[in-house]
Amino acid sequence: MHDFPLFLDLHGKAVLVVGGGQVAWRKVQALHKAGAEVRVVALELCPELAASGAAHLAEAFDPAQLDDVWLAIAATDDGELNATVAQAANERRLWVNVVDQRELCSAIVPAVVDRKPVTIAISSDGQAPVLARRIREQLEAQTPQWTGALAALLGRLRDKVAQRFVSFDERRRFYEALLDSDVSQDLAANDAGKAEAKALVQLEQGAVQPGWLKLVGAGPGDPDLLTLKALQALQAADVVVYDRLVSEAVLDLARRDARFIPVGKEKGCHSVPQSEIEAILVREALAGQRVVRLKGGDPFVFGRGGEEVLAARAAGIGAEVVPGITAAAACSASSQVPLTHRGLANQMTLVTGHCQPGGDEPDWRALARAQSTLAVYMGLTQSSHIAAELVAGGLSPRTPVLVVENGTRPQERRFRTDLQGLSDTIATAQVQSPALLIVGDTVTLYQEAS
Ligand SMILES: C[S@@+](CC[C@H](N)C(=O)[O-])C[C@H]1O[C@@H](n2cnc3c(N)ncnc32)[C@H](O)[C@@H]1O
């Protein structure tokens, strides 16, 4: 961030605008809206400015005109005069905005979405005004007109809410419940009285937002691959319990003030035992928190999501599961190697190469089938054993394999090999987790540059 964002209260405060044309007129309009006492310095005024009611100093600019103002705006088409105004303002340590001359500004005027008392200001630090305007248009469309009425209603309730609820957490949960209720529909229908009456009933009843638990699939890492539902859950969550595989870019989309609990799992080294993760989820949801259990890929594909749902059920909590894009789908898409393809594969199997000690190992020989794609998760360590078993089961040693490391992430790497060369490729390229092995004839469709 280059500039420090700040809103100024200009009510009743003198602001000097130098310039008498249309540009100055637009600035004066905005300043009047903000309640400023505007003085315009210009030998002549355009008709709109003349009719604006701003005090007019029909004289040349003089630095002394800045003596008792709070802010200066230079809006002339004379670059030299604008620079003189900026210099005089700087000497007095006055904030100055010079229209269309970013280098002379100590203050810039952002593009604004106005839903009084809510104001959204957008600045590109003068680098990309067209982009800032485009963002403003999008926000204009997305921010309902009744947003201001809603903010005003919450403002009117503030003291009563503070009396009703002692703790900050309860107050927050009351407001969350109110925002989720249908008061906004009344405001949308222009019935502020009805909205306020409903809000007061909710306050009387002490209605606070109940806690919830959502198991959310974070996808393979690229934040654009989150579902809309996942994004909504993430942005509503008070607590985010996340795995090592969840990318920073996805975590950045959660609320800044959420509590983040890492329960990172490395292969063979579970930093937080599964039972403890389940206890955290249950404890937080029962305490009224909105909990997102964020898991790489899909929660129900090698993610132990089932165990967490069962633990929540046992505690009387109804957990919701938000699916995510699993690594097989993501790596298939990013490498453009289909998992099924007419003539090459009419079935696919998602299988794990990592098994608990003493646990059931997949029957690799039975998986060695023609016209079939295998997506092997966590298969790096056991790659040589897996390849040998698949060959023993009847697959050709030349069966193509694609190794995808960090699929969909900026650092994605891919290696095209075959079963007989698999473990050497992994060793030579020092492939790291997370990586997926795609085994089968659809890999023949892979193109290096894709
Ligand atoms: C514990 S499993 C979790 C799978 C996850 N629930 C899913 O649906 O993708 C972790 C394994 O998924 C695979 N994986 C996850 N993200 C990946 C990615 N971005 N690229 C390649 N493989 C990935 C790797 O095999 C990794 O070792």
Side-chain angles (χ1 to χ4, degrees):
M1 189 168 66
H2 180 270
D3 295 322
F4 181 71
L6 186 76
F7 287 90
L8 301 180
D9 178 359
L10 290 176
H11 283 88
K13 298 198 170 71
V15 177
L16 193 78
V17 175
V18 183
Q22 290 292 325
V23 179
W25 157 236
R26 282 198 292 279
K27 295 291 176 204
V28 169
Q29 277 182 304
L31 288 164
H32 274 160
K33 266 192 178 175
E37 182 229 299
V38 186
R39 299 172 194 171
V40 180
V41 174
L43 296 177
E44 281 178 29
L45 298 182
C46 67
E48 294 88 343
L49 210 39
S52 72
H56 180 203
L57 305 175
E59 54 197 53
F61 170 70
D62 183 319
Q65 292 156 353
L66 295 170
D67 282 348
D68 60 345
V69 304
W70 292 71
L71 176 71
I73 295 184
T76 78
D77 51 11
D78 177 345
E80 226 172 282
L81 174 55
N82 287 343
T84 307
V85 175
Q87 193 188 338
N90 286 333
E91 280 163 8
R92 284 164 172 74
R93 300 193 178 186
L94 259 188
W95 299 113
V96 61
N97 174 257
V98 183
V99 177
D100 287 341
Q101 281 181 276
R102 175 66 185 97
E103 69 286 0
L104 294 179
C105 295
S106 60
I108 56 174
V109 182
V112 157
V113 177
D114 186 3
R115 298 287 185 276
K116 206 173 166 188
V118 175
T119 308
I120 306 171
I122 305 123
S123 158
S124 64
D125 186 25
Q127 311 276 324
V130 177
L131 175 64
R133 207 172 308 136
R134 180 72 66 87
I135 295 170
R136 184 177 68 84
E137 283 162 14
Q138 289 166 353
L139 289 171
E140 275 286 358
Q142 285 166 16
T143 313
Q145 290 299 332
W146 46 261
T147 304
L150 181 59
L153 170 62
L154 299 187
R156 288 197 296 279
L157 291 178
R158 238 179 119 171
D159 289 345
K160 292 191 179 92
V161 174
Q163 281 163 16
R164 177 76 174 79
F165 300 109
V166 184
S167 77
F168 170 79
D169 194 46
E170 271 184 325
R171 290 200 289 272
R172 183 189 56 71
R173 287 170 57 205
F174 166 75
Y175 284 124
E176 299 283 4
L178 187 63
L179 291 177
D180 286 345
S181 74
D182 61 358
V183 294
S184 52
Q185 287 169 23
D186 298 323
L187 292 170
N190 247 332
D191 196 342
K194 193 169 172 193
E196 185 149 354
K198 273 189 190 165
L200 288 171
V201 170
Q202 289 183 34
L203 184 60
E204 181 71 25
Q205 292 169 342
V208 293
Q209 168 88 47
W212 48 244
L213 171 63
K214 296 186 186 188
L215 271 63
V216 175
D222 177 351
D224 287 346
L225 292 176
L226 279 177
T227 64
L228 212 49
K229 233 179 179 182
L231 184 63
Q232 285 159 358
L234 205 49
Q235 291 183 341
D238 307 311
V239 178
V240 180
V241 183
Y242 66 97
D243 279 347
R244 179 187 67 93
L245 269 185
V246 174
S247 69
E248 286 284 325
V250 168
L251 286 174
D252 279 349
L253 295 172
R255 263 177 34 210
R256 291 283 140 116
D257 60 338
R259 194 148 41 91
F260 293 86
I261 305 181
V263 290
K265 292 183 181 182
E266 300 270 0
K267 188 176 76 60
C269 136
H270 291 191
S271 53
V272 180
Q274 183 63 29
S275 58
E276 205 174 306
I277 296 174
E278 289 160 17
I280 293 172
L281 300 180
V282 167
R283 181 191 70 214
E284 297 291 343
L286 287 179
Q289 301 296 309
R290 290 166 301 173
V291 184
V292 159
R293 170 71 173 110
L294 197 56
K295 291 169 163 294
D298 182 273
F300 278 180
V301 179
F302 307 124
R304 305 193 72 172
E307 289 158 67
E308 290 167 11
V309 166
L310 292 179
R313 258 186 227 164
I317 303 166
E320 185 186 340
V321 181
V322 179
I325 294 184
T326 190
C331 294
S332 151
S334 71
S335 61
Q336 299 194 3
V337 169
L339 296 173
T340 65
H341 190 83
R342 257 173 205 248
L344 293 179
N346 53 27
Q347 57 180 317
M348 61 174 174
T349 307
L350 309 189
V351 59
T352 172
H354 167 66
C355 294
Q356 297 295 337
D360 288 338
E361 184 184 348
D363 184 348
W364 296 107
R365 295 184 190 202
L367 290 172
R369 290 186 295 247
Q371 293 259 324
S372 175
T373 307
L374 284 181
V376 186
Y377 291 65
M378 298 167 278
L380 290 182
T381 322
Q382 295 292 320
S383 61
S384 135
H385 169 69
I386 294 167
E389 283 295 294
L390 290 173
V391 171
L395 283 189
S396 158
R398 307 300 305 271
T399 303
V401 181
L402 187 71
V403 182
V404 185
E405 178 194 81
N406 277 307
T408 82
R409 299 176 181 213
Q411 67 273 37
E412 174 170 344
R413 295 197 300 162
R414 300 182 208 126
F415 304 93
R416 164 79 160 81
T417 179
D418 54 23
L419 283 177
Q420 67 187 359
L422 178 59
S423 54
D424 278 352
T425 302
I426 289 171
T428 310
Q430 300 190 342
V431 179
Q432 303 294 320
S433 177
L436 187 89
L437 316 179
I438 303 178
V439 183
D441 287 340
T442 60
V443 174
T444 55
L445 302 177
Y446 179 64
Q447 281 188 339
E448 285 294 339
S450 66

